Amino acid sequence: MTFPGRFSSLPDYVFPRLRKLLDGRAPGAEPFDMTIGEPRHGMPDFVAEIMAEEVGGFARYPKNEGTEALREAIAGWLGRRYGAALDPDSQIISLNGSREGLFHAALALCPEEKAGQRPAILTPNPFYGAYTLGAPVLGADLHFVSATEETGYLPRFDALPEELLQRTALVYVGSPSNPHGAVASMDYWEALLGLAERHGFTVLADECYSEIYRDVPPPGAFEAMQRAGTDPERLVVFNSLSKRSNLPGLRAGFAAGGKDAIARMKLLRAWGGAPLPGPIQAVAARAWSDETHVEGNRLLYRQKYDLADEIFGEVPGYAPPEAGFFLWLPVDDGEDAAIRAWEGQGLRILPGAYFARGDADGVLPGTGRVRVAMVAPVDDLRGALHRLRDVLYD
């Protein structure tokens, strides 16, 4: 049988790659998983109650774009958080997790050609995997833009050649970023949106970690758009309840942006999307309307930031994460560090290079880093981080 070659350059996804690396190796202690960004804090108290009240909704087909109550709740949250005045009917679409939207946005919004050439899609490097799949499907050129210590862990799109920017159709950027935890400043967002205006591309802003931070809320792309007076069609923002509300299994996310962009995403989703079941939409509407559980969640992560700073603060090259819940720790070699952590202490961590591709000069960003998820309860995490320091640095 002949299969399409468009995905032939894709490596195994990060978790199967790690299993191949560690399979057959015995853990040196009771296994402790620090790989997946799956929040382990408690769900909001109202989830079970609302799900039970709305259980009859499983007998009906759900609304593809999201119920009116859900879209209004999302619009209300965006207004409170960013001062954004969005029309819930035409500028917001419910998603089955933000990853779905990050992929489908490329299919819906990338033109067949740009400036008379093959379009380009830009992504940070290292990156979240969903950013990279649209280009091979569309036949677009995918360009990886380094996001390393030298660039403040955010890609410098303004340093790219004019020729590339002219044919750029879409730019992915995450803030707070995965895997680094870097936060884009208001100036960064304004400069990027200005670049989008000048060169006619759309910014796809992944803000899924926006509500997990140390002290100051990360600026958002919608704030910058309003301050700079950017055309709303130059921006689509993605977020979800996975991290904010400890509900990764709910798969409740959204995309918000210009009316034309959202209309195109709605059209594509009407033909091939998977809408959220009604009871889940009801839970999501309540979650976007409640901040109490989010504030409590954030306090727990602040304890983890302090713990990480205490344990790794004297490690050369340690950079305290500004936001999110990952540590991006310096090592000599990521795969070797992952093996030593597993065989020495039973700890599963991810080599940083698994989140990256080699650049034009053959450099693979993240080779000297590992990503560590601080999602476990604080008391469990404390012992695991001490063990990790012992095996990696002592």
Side-chain angles (χ1 to χ4, degrees), residues 14-311:
V14 291
F15 302 113
R17 286 182 74 181
L18 184 69
R19 287 195 292 271
K20 287 183 179 179
L21 179 70
L22 300 183
D23 277 356
R25 301 177 185 271
E30 183 71 21
F32 192 92
D33 195 342
M34 307 173 81
T35 60
I36 191 167
E38 180 181 74
R40 307 282 174 78
H41 299 166
M43 296 186 299
D45 294 339
F46 51 76
V47 172
E49 177 184 351
I50 294 176
M51 192 71 75
E53 290 175 353
E54 301 289 337
V55 69
F58 285 115
R60 296 184 293 274
Y61 284 118
K63 288 193 173 183
N64 193 63
E65 69 275 14
T67 63
E68 182 178 357
L70 175 54
R71 287 180 282 108
E72 287 181 349
I74 293 168
W77 179 77
L78 289 168
R80 294 188 300 274
R81 177 67 169 83
Y82 301 113
L86 299 177
D87 178 6
D89 291 329
S90 62
Q91 291 187 271
I92 293 172
I93 182 173
S94 169
L95 298 173
N96 198 327
S98 58
R99 179 162 60 175
E100 172 209 357
L102 289 164
F103 169 57
H104 282 167
L107 307 188
L109 304 179
C110 184
E112 285 76 12
E113 65 174 41
K114 176 86 186 300
Q117 304 175 74
R118 265 173 62 142
I121 297 177
L122 312 183
T123 179
N125 194 26
F127 53 84
Y128 177 55
Y131 303 164
T132 65
L133 290 182
V137 172
L138 297 163
D141 290 334
L142 182 61
H143 285 262
F144 297 95
V145 185
S146 290
T148 61
E149 185 176 6
E150 290 70 29
T151 67
Y153 296 113
L154 292 167
R156 288 289 310 278
F157 297 112
D158 58 351
L160 296 175
E162 185 79 8
E163 178 277 329
L164 174 58
L165 290 172
Q166 280 297 101
R167 63 188 184 91
T168 292
L170 302 174
V171 168
Y172 285 95
V173 61
S175 175
S177 66
N178 174 10
H180 326 85
V183 171
S185 68
M186 188 66 72
D187 288 344
Y188 182 95
W189 280 125
E190 285 194 39
L192 178 56
L193 291 172
L195 207 63
E197 290 267 51
R198 289 196 297 278
H199 295 282
F201 60 74
T202 300
V203 175
L204 304 180
D206 180 0
E207 298 185 350
C208 286
Y209 294 87
S210 66
E211 303 313 288
I212 301 174
Y213 52 84
R214 286 179 180 259
D215 300 304
V216 180
F222 276 133
E223 291 176 281
M225 182 191 76
Q226 293 169 103
R227 201 163 89 166
T230 308
D231 179 355
E233 296 300 333
R234 294 284 156 237
L235 175 66
V236 180
V237 170
F238 301 82
N239 212 319
S240 85
L241 295 173
S242 296
K243 281 68 178 179
R244 175 187 184 273
S245 299
N246 302 315
L247 292 170
L250 200 71
R251 309 311 303 141
F254 72 79
K259 294 180 179 180
D260 291 344
I262 296 301
R264 289 177 177 273
M265 292 181 68
K266 283 182 178 179
L267 177 62
L268 181 66
R269 199 161 191 269
W271 282 94
L276 283 175
I280 290 178
Q281 295 196 40
V283 172
R286 173 67 181 277
W288 286 114
S289 302
D290 180 82
E291 289 297 320
T292 301
H293 74 279
V294 184
E295 292 165 359
N297 190 43
R298 198 154 43 235
L299 289 175
L300 294 174
Y301 282 113
R302 285 173 179 162
Q303 294 178 40
K304 296 178 182 183
Y305 293 143
D306 292 342
L307 184 62
D309 293 348
E310 173 190 329
I311 294 172

Side-chain angles (χ1 to χ4, degrees), residues 299-361:
L299 289 175
L300 294 174
Y301 282 113
R302 285 173 179 162
Q303 294 178 40
K304 296 178 182 183
Y305 293 143
D306 292 342
L307 184 62
D309 293 348
E310 173 190 329
I311 294 172
F312 297 104
E314 295 183 1
V315 171
Y318 169 71
E322 296 179 75
F325 48 54
F326 295 119
L327 298 178
W328 190 237
L329 295 176
V331 293
D332 290 333
D333 178 86
E335 284 197 331
D336 174 70
I339 292 170
R340 287 192 289 119
W342 178 246
E343 293 185 330
Q345 290 287 352
L347 302 171
R348 294 183 82 89
I349 58 176
L350 278 164
Y354 287 9
F355 297 91
R357 301 281 183 86
D359 63 18
D361 298 321

